[in-house]
Amino acid sequence: MDDPDPQVERLLERIDQQRTPPTHGMSVPTARDRLDELFTTPDPEPVGEIKEFSIEGPGGPLPVRVYAPETGTEPYGVFVTFHGGGWVVGGLDTHDPVCRALANAVECLVVSVDYRLAPEHPFPAAVEDCYAATEWAVDYADELGGDGERVAVGGDSAGGNLAAAVTLVACDRDGPELCHQSLVYPSVNSPSLQEFDSYEENAEGYLLERASAEWYYERYLDQPTDARNAYAAPLMARDLSGLPPATVITAGFDPLRDEGIAYADRLDAAGVPVTHECFEGMIHGFLNLVDTIDRSRDAIAVLADDLDEAFAD
């Protein structure tokens, strides 16, 4: 494999010069502050309108933020998205730039979900929150200017895990018929159960480190048996047939690269239409770095093209 993209290399050099410890060497509050600093942009892309609500969630009020595009015509397709951050860090603000970009690129409503975080709220709290928010988006789409029959889900990293889990829950509970799932470098495996080459190849030095990924899992999974639960690790699911069409994006210098590829292959083998693109010179988290990494916009375009098609069908 070639070297990382030059913009990625410069970013990694700046982070290294800051001598910031890796996530697994931080407290939870410090790790949350660090991601806020890395992903929040001072000059966000304008959109048509932003509304914030607290809806009824399984554990109490559940905040959501709804983005309407600058252009387009109601009723819009609805994209329900779940932020990454290892189920421990991240929130509405860290993923605001991507939500804005997708709302405009697809001309759809983007519903960003501020699900409960671990370790305060371990698995399956985040899954249940995200599923409840998806049901809400379907039920109230028309009041938002959207179409409840054109609803997709997606997310990056832990958010990709949650999006995949929501599609499984929807099938198991005879829930909403979702039209698409967008999974960006998704965390779909339980590292304690299955090894992939990318864990070792990209274990250190590429923003997300293997030890940090394990740190996240330790805080998310309260019981060892949860590692085998398909809602925690969708790659463990016995049957993926009948799930909505998928877009899977992976990054070449990412510990999670191979599990994302494996999940795309499993979906394809189950008869699920799937588009997979590996951004070879990229690292975990690159999608959110819209002001730093040019290829972030290329990945957003891939997601937008597939969502456009899904919403048009």
Side-chain angles (χ1 to χ4, degrees):
M1 185 178 293
D2 295 334
D3 293 333
D5 181 274
Q7 289 183 319
V8 168
E9 289 189 325
R10 289 194 290 271
L11 171 67
L12 294 174
E13 287 172 1
R14 288 200 301 272
I15 292 174
D16 187 58
Q17 290 169 359
Q18 293 171 358
R19 299 188 181 278
T20 304
T23 302
H24 61 272
M26 296 181 181
S27 67
V28 168
T30 300
R32 289 172 178 167
D33 289 343
R34 185 199 184 200
L35 194 73
D36 289 347
E37 293 173 3
L38 182 62
F39 283 169
T40 302
T41 178
D43 188 22
E45 178 177 339
V47 294
E49 186 178 20
I50 296 176
K51 297 179 179 179
E52 295 200 19
F53 305 90
S54 283
I55 67 174
E56 184 176 347
L62 177 60
V64 298
R65 182 181 292 170
V66 181
Y67 300 78
E70 281 198 303
T71 59
T73 304
E74 296 183 6
Y76 300 110
V78 181
F79 181 54
V80 186
T81 183
F82 317 118
H83 66 81
W87 314 277
V88 175
V89 304
L92 298 180
D93 291 339
T94 57
H95 287 62
D96 176 77
V98 172
C99 292
R100 291 169 177 268
L102 281 171
N104 286 334
V106 186
E107 294 187 345
C108 71
L109 294 180
V110 174
V111 179
S112 184
V113 182
D114 200 14
Y115 57 86
R116 288 172 290 170
L117 297 177
E120 297 92 338
H121 305 284
F123 173 84
V127 176
E128 296 296 344
D129 282 357
C130 292
Y131 183 69
T134 302
E135 287 191 310
W136 174 86
V138 171
D139 292 342
Y140 292 93
D142 57 341
E143 296 184 22
L144 300 171
D147 181 353
E149 295 185 357
R150 294 185 294 144
V151 176
V153 295
D156 67 300
S157 192
N161 165 286
L162 293 168
V166 164
T167 68
L168 293 171
V169 176
C171 283
D172 292 345
R173 299 182 186 174
D174 196 23
E177 187 172 341
L178 304 170
C179 67
H180 197 76
Q181 53 179 319
S182 301
L183 313 178
V184 181
Y185 32 78
S187 176
V188 290
N189 181 49
S190 288
S192 61
L193 300 179
Q194 187 172 358
E195 285 282 332
F196 287 101
D197 290 344
S198 58
Y199 292 169
E200 186 64 31
E201 292 174 10
N202 303 316
E204 295 181 348
Y206 299 114
L207 195 61
L208 175 66
E209 302 197 337
R210 176 175 182 169
S212 295
E214 294 170 349
W215 182 90
Y216 287 126
Y217 266 99
E218 289 169 0
R219 281 145 188 81
Y220 182 51
L221 302 182
D222 197 38
Q223 302 294 328
T225 54
D226 290 338
R228 296 185 178 276
N229 190 312
Y231 297 164
L235 196 57
M236 301 291 109
R238 294 182 179 180
D239 184 9
L240 299 180
S241 62
L243 295 180
T247 304
V248 180
I249 288 178
T250 54
F253 292 90
D254 180 2
L256 306 189
R257 180 194 67 213
D258 290 352
E259 65 186 78
I261 294 171
Y263 196 66
D265 290 344
R266 284 276 321 273
L267 288 168
D268 181 65
V272 176
V274 57
T275 299
H276 168 242
E277 183 163 345
C278 183
F279 284 72
E280 297 290 351
M282 294 293 105
I283 57 174
H284 195 86
F286 82 93
L287 182 75
N288 297 80
L289 300 169
V290 293
D291 292 338
T292 307
I293 306 295
D294 291 342
R295 296 227 65 194
S296 169
R297 293 288 179 178
D298 296 334
I300 288 170
V302 171
L303 298 174
D305 286 347
D306 285 358
L307 284 169
D308 273 333
E309 184 176 343
F311 290 147
D313 291 344

